[in-house]
Amino acid sequence: MTIKDEFSWPRLVQQAEGLLSVSSDRISNAANLSALIFQEVHDISWVGFYLLHGRTLLLGPFQGKPACASIEWGKGVCGTAAASAKIIRVNDVESFAGHIACDVNARSEIVVPLIKDDILLGVLDVDSTSYGRFGESDEKGLAELAEVYLRSVV
Ligand code: SME
């Protein structure tokens, strides 16, 4: 019998460091990081990247149901996080004016802007069907994963 190891953010960060060390390609590493997060983090319904092209965030690698293909700068939680260059945590998506409902079952969300050498590459977006799913430790863990991603890519 095997007992599944307990989840810990530092361990996931370590796993991500290994996984992303073999490539420096933005798409490959975004694909692997979203798969790792989706596999390891409990109670999330969607995780993925929106990558900046001009003033539009275009859907990149993700795990979960099909999602909105593009988000304009400053729109929705993703566009707001991109424009403000700040992490946004939303406990109840209905309370966020302008939230874009790609999945009607999503209840809470966290978006981490991806900034490398002062340039915004895009955002990492994670959704849950539970209210208030993302706390401070999740924010810290996802911010560290974003740093691992940013260090890994050229
Ligand atoms: N809810 C996001 C849109 C992206 S989906 O959640 C995958 C937003 O308001 O920007």
Side-chain angles (χ1 to χ4, degrees), residues 46-48 50 57 59 62-63 65-72 75-81 90 93 96-103 106 108-111 123 125-128:
W46 196 91
V47 51
Y50 278 93
L57 290 162
L59 182 61
F62 72 96
Q63 299 274 307
K65 289 184 187 164
C68 314
S70 72
I71 297 172
E72 288 307 314
K75 302 288 181 195
V77 186
C78 290
T80 305
V90 182
V93 293
F96 189 97
H99 168 258
I100 301 165
C102 296
D103 176 0
S108 59
E109 174 162 12
I110 183 167
V111 180
V123 300
D125 180 18
V126 189
D127 290 355
S128 173

Side-chain angles (χ1 to χ4, degrees), residues 56-141:
T56 305
L57 290 162
L58 291 184
L59 182 61
F62 72 96
Q63 299 274 307
K65 289 184 187 164
C68 314
S70 72
I71 297 172
E72 288 307 314
W73 185 258
K75 302 288 181 195
V77 186
C78 290
T80 305
S84 65
K86 292 219 164 72
I87 295 177
I88 300 186
R89 245 198 290 156
V90 182
N91 287 328
D92 175 358
V93 293
E94 279 184 23
S95 70
F96 189 97
H99 168 258
I100 301 165
C102 296
D103 176 0
V104 290
N105 294 315
R107 292 291 173 264
S108 59
E109 174 162 12
I110 183 167
V111 180
V112 182
L114 301 167
I115 300 162
K116 187 177 174 72
D117 304 327
D118 289 329
I119 294 170
L120 185 94
L121 304 186
V123 300
L124 172 63
D125 180 18
V126 189
D127 290 355
S128 173
T129 53
S130 300
Y131 288 106
R133 164 65 187 82
F134 305 103
E136 263 176 47
S137 61
D138 303 301
E139 175 170 335
K140 189 166 169 275

